[in-house]
């Protein structure tokens, strides 16, 4: 049974930490949850110290009572395993399970997430408590979902990690000779004579070997996926409810989320914007489109957001009126099966006492709770969207290996940044109003009319051939600077970049990279501007669309286009400014025959369509802009006809009623 089948509609609610409160408050919680139409509460995320006050001695009585109370109140439970926050007794008994930073500092408890994921004692304790919880609550009538851990995030460089890393390397390379060759250890006298000589990339004198650092990232990701899977399997022995874990914010890339997405029953993400206003709306779309893609297009879940939390360079800004609903709907529009928050009631004490919540310190008589209630009401009216999906004709390529590789030391420019390159590509597509997926470079891309490949520094042979085939079969591909430059081993492609099959599709050969100076801004022959990067490239079948107009590159190609097979491949060798990049993306969308989800909407008005397997459609329209937009149809939120969407407003129109 799916989550929404069990809930009878979309999920609404959040993290619930009743152990911070007294009975009087629980009574109020019951009443307020009914008022806000809460139907799912995430319980137990940070409850290890209460659930297991001493090693091996469990106290479930309080959780029994909370689950029964929630159930009696009609609230389902997303029950967490508490393994993100080991209690003090655990760390004192197992000091070797505390994480060690790259510079050798062993952290102590006093915050959260103080564990080494490779420490045997930690892994065993995590399995034990997951199993004990599943045994006790696996069939509880309130239980709708399992929430393993919380935002797997801690990295560690300790001796347990070193030992596990060596096991992983042996499995990957088989022999030291192969590893030495792959990592290029002939340079700087790094040749390893035994496995024991290999260390995690701890603090060292200068640049670290890129093969070592990228493999360490791959290893850390595999360790997390294994730790998650162990808990999931322990749970499945006692319970048939779906199992998830909440993925971290998109700027953190400790885990290959394609791999984690394959292991969970339901992809779940957390969302806290890093800038206010329209940028937050674009970021919501970015995180939501990623989540849907990691879920393979299947429904997924927004596990956490803040009612009033926008992280902005050292400040926590408040959300503007209306944004609680708009941000919730932004995720639901893109396939989320609900909207949950961290957390239900704002803590009066503890490290996150200033983090916003559904019931703020001020209590229910507040703007925030009023908006929460209105949002709960709106989400309840969207039950018929459950299980429907979003179809995109455009994809941005996204590969963890490329991201990790681009974090290597010693690259030609410190301004090469994977995450912001992805954000820029997605933002241009979001501004153009089209639906966008993310896709791994090695998967079948045939369903997309247009594919963008930003910052694909590392590209496997299989990936390069896949992109060549995509173009040959009729696709439109845009490859951006410094892509396809190294293989899986981080070894440079010789004879010119990018990797040969991709070069054939692009009809070019990059001969030399020429990073620009800090703040340098160049002009191309079509009047657009570039920053950060330039390249000297030769045409091998492609035509020049725009040329450089400066220095040694004066007159040579900057932007090229090549008809190849049934498709077209474009190559952009600099980083265009926002306007130039938007114009290029618009041109390519046009040539690939991709239009906006709903044509004619002004900028700042977002539209997404969800479609059910039996062909019903819903258009979610979010007006982030200052103008009223005429749009008529039957709106599920107001359960009536509308003729316009006011500034800040949102509608969910049944497809057949749109006029
Ligand atoms: C994350 C965590 C929560 C909470 C929020 C707010 O998403 O999962 O436990 O800490 O951030 O900071």
């Amino acid at each position: 049974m799916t989550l929404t089948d069990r809930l009878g509609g979309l999920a609404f609610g959040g993290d619930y930490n009743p152990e911070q409160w007294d009975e009087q408050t629980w009574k109020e919680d019951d009443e307020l949850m009914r008022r806000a139409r809460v139907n799912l509460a995430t319980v137990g995320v940070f409850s290890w110290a209460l659930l297991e006050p001493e090693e091996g001695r469990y106290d479930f009585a309080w959780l029994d009572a909370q689950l029964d109370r929630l159930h009696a109140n009609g609230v389902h439970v997303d029950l967490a395993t508490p393994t993100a926050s080991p209690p003090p007794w655990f760390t004192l008994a197992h000091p070797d399970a505390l994480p060690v930073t790259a510079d050798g500092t062993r952290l102590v408890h006093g915050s959260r997430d103080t564990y080494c994921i490779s420490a045997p004692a930690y892994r065993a304790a995590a399995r034990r408590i997951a199993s004990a919880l599943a045994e006790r609550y696996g069939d509880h009538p309130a239980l709708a979902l399992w929430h393993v851990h919380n935002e797997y995030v801690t990295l560690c460089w300790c001796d347990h990690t070193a030992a596990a890393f060596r096991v992983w390397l042996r499995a990957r390379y088989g022999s030291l000779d192969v590893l030495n060759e792959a990592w290029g250890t002939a340079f700087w006298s790094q040749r390893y004579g035994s496995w024991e000589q290999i260390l995690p990339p701890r603090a060292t004198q200068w640049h670290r070997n890129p093969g070592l650092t990228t493999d360490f990232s791959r290893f850390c990701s595999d360790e997390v996926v294994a730790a998650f899977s162990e808990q999931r399997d322990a749970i499945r022995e006692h319970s048939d409810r779906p199992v998830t874990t909440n993925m971290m914010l998109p700027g953190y890339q400790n885990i290959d989320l394609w791999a984690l997405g394959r292991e969970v029953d339901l992809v779940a993400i957390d969302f806290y914007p890093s800038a206010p206003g329209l940028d937050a709306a674009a970021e919501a779309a970015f995180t939501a489109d990623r989540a849907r893609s990691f879920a393979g297009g299947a429904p997924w879940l927004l596990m956490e957001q803040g009612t009033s939390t926008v992280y902005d360079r050292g400040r926590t800004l408040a959300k503007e009126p209306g944004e609680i609903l708009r941000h919730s709907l932004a995720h639901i529009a893109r396939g989320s099966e609900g909207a949950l928050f961290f957390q239900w009631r704002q803590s009066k004490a503890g490290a996150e006492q200033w983090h916003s919540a559904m019931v703020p310190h001020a209590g229910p008589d507040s703007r925030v709770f009023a908006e929460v209630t209105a949002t709960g009401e709106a989400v309840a009216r969207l039950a018929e969207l459950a299980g429907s999906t979003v179809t995109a004709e455009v994809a941005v390529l996204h590969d963890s290996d490329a991201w990790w590789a681009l974090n290597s030391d010693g690259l030609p420019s410190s301004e090469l940044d994977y995450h912001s390159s992805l954000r820029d590509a997605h933002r241009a597509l979001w501004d153009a109003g089209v639906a966008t997926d993310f896709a791994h470079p090695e998967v079948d891309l045939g369903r997309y009319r247009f594919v963008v490949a930003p910052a694909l520094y590392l590209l496997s042979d299989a990936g390069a051939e896949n992109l060549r085939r995509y173009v040959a079969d009729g696709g439109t591909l845009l490859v951006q600077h410094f892509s396809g430059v190294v293989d899986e081993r981080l070894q440079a492609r010789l004879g010119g970049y990018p990797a040969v099959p991709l070069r054939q599709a692009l009809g070019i050969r990059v001969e030399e990279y020429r990073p620009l100076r800090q703040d340098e801004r160049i002009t191309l022959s079509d009047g657009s501007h570039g920053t950060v990067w330039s390249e000297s490239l030769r045409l091998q079948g492609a035509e020049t669309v725009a040329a450089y107009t400066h220095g040694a590159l004066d007159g040579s190609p900057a932007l090229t286009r090549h008809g190849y097979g049934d498709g077209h491949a474009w190559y952009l060798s600099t980083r265009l400014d926002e306007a130039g990049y938007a114009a290029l993306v618009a041109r390519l969308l046009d040539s690939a025959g991709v239009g906006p989800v709903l044509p004619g909407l002004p900028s700042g008005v977002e539209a997404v369509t969800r479609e059910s397997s039996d062909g019903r459609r819903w258009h979610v329209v979010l007006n982030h802009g200052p103008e009223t937009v005429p749009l008529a149809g039957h709106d599920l939120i107001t359960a009536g006809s509308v003729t316009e969407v006011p500034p800040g407003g949102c509608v969910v129109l049944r497809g057949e009623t749109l006029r």
Side-chain angles (χ1 to χ4, degrees), residues 15 46 112 150-151 246 270 272 304 311 342 352 355:
D15 279 51
F46 297 117
R112 69 183 213 193
N150 187 71
E151 292 186 336
N246 48 339
D270 297 344
Y272 297 96
E304 285 184 28
Y311 294 121
F342 179 87
E352 291 200 317
H355 191 279

Side-chain angles (χ1 to χ4, degrees), residues 245-525:
T245 183
N246 48 339
M247 295 176 175
M248 214 24 201
L249 307 185
Y252 291 81
Q253 182 74 2
N254 295 341
I255 308 170
D256 175 30
L257 298 175
W258 297 113
L260 188 58
R262 287 190 287 273
E263 298 300 328
V264 295
D265 295 323
L266 178 73
V267 162
I269 61 155
D270 297 344
F271 171 67
Y272 297 96
S274 56
L278 200 58
D279 291 339
E283 199 173 351
F286 176 81
T287 56
D289 285 340
R290 272 177 34 124
R292 186 184 63 253
S293 305
F294 296 140
W300 53 278
L301 186 61
L302 173 63
M303 182 62 81
E304 285 184 28
Q305 59 176 332
T307 53
S308 212
T309 306
V310 178
Y311 294 121
D312 183 29
R313 293 160 294 173
R315 296 163 186 78
T316 312
L317 306 180
K319 286 192 181 174
E320 296 303 324
E323 285 188 331
I324 294 177
L325 177 60
R326 283 214 308 286
H327 288 182
S328 297
L329 291 182
H331 290 85
I332 290 172
R334 292 167 193 276
S336 175
E337 293 287 71
L340 306 178
F341 295 81
F342 179 87
Q343 59 179 327
W344 165 250
R345 193 178 271 280
Q346 187 172 8
S347 303
K348 62 177 185 256
E352 291 200 317
Q353 65 191 138
W354 305 116
H355 191 279
S356 67
M358 299 167 82
V359 184
H361 285 161
D365 183 12
S366 58
R367 173 189 72 84
V368 165
F369 188 68
E371 289 199 27
V372 163
T373 308
T375 303
E377 186 61 39
V379 172
R381 291 183 175 192
L382 303 181
E384 65 190 61
L385 270 68
S388 58
T389 55
V390 175
T391 303
E393 294 178 319
V394 178
V396 175
L397 297 183
H398 184 355
D399 181 16
S400 311
D401 273 1
W403 187 328
W404 293 325
L406 207 60
N407 285 338
S408 300
D409 297 334
L411 293 179
S413 168
S414 59
E415 289 184 88
L416 296 165
D417 181 66
Y418 192 79
H419 180 59
S420 60
S421 303
L422 246 64
R423 284 287 319 268
D424 290 348
H426 184 271
R427 177 65 186 258
L429 294 161
W430 185 76
D431 284 335
V434 302
T436 302
D437 278 348
F438 290 89
H440 189 276
E442 290 176 23
V443 302
D444 180 7
L445 299 166
R447 82 182 105 134
Y448 300 112
R449 287 168 181 262
F450 176 37
V451 168
V452 187
L456 206 55
Y457 169 57
L458 180 155
L459 182 62
S460 66
D461 291 349
E465 170 55 20
N466 192 42
L467 297 186
R468 187 202 63 76
R469 197 175 330 112
Y470 167 72
V471 179
D473 291 348
T476 297
L477 174 70
L478 171 64
V479 177
Q480 295 177 207
H481 63 274
F482 211 43
S483 285
V485 179
V486 297
D487 66 13
E488 302 93 307
R489 301 173 307 164
L490 283 291
Q491 300 213 352
R493 301 285 183 182
L494 302 181
Y497 319 116
V500 170
L502 181 53
R503 231 196 279 163
Q504 285 167 359
L506 291 166
I508 55 135
R509 172 171 164 262
V510 178
E511 188 183 324
E512 185 186 351
Y513 47 83
R514 300 179 65 93
L516 299 178
R517 292 189 302 275
Q518 195 177 5
D519 300 328
E520 186 177 357
R521 188 164 181 261
I522 55 170
T523 303
L524 306 187
S525 58

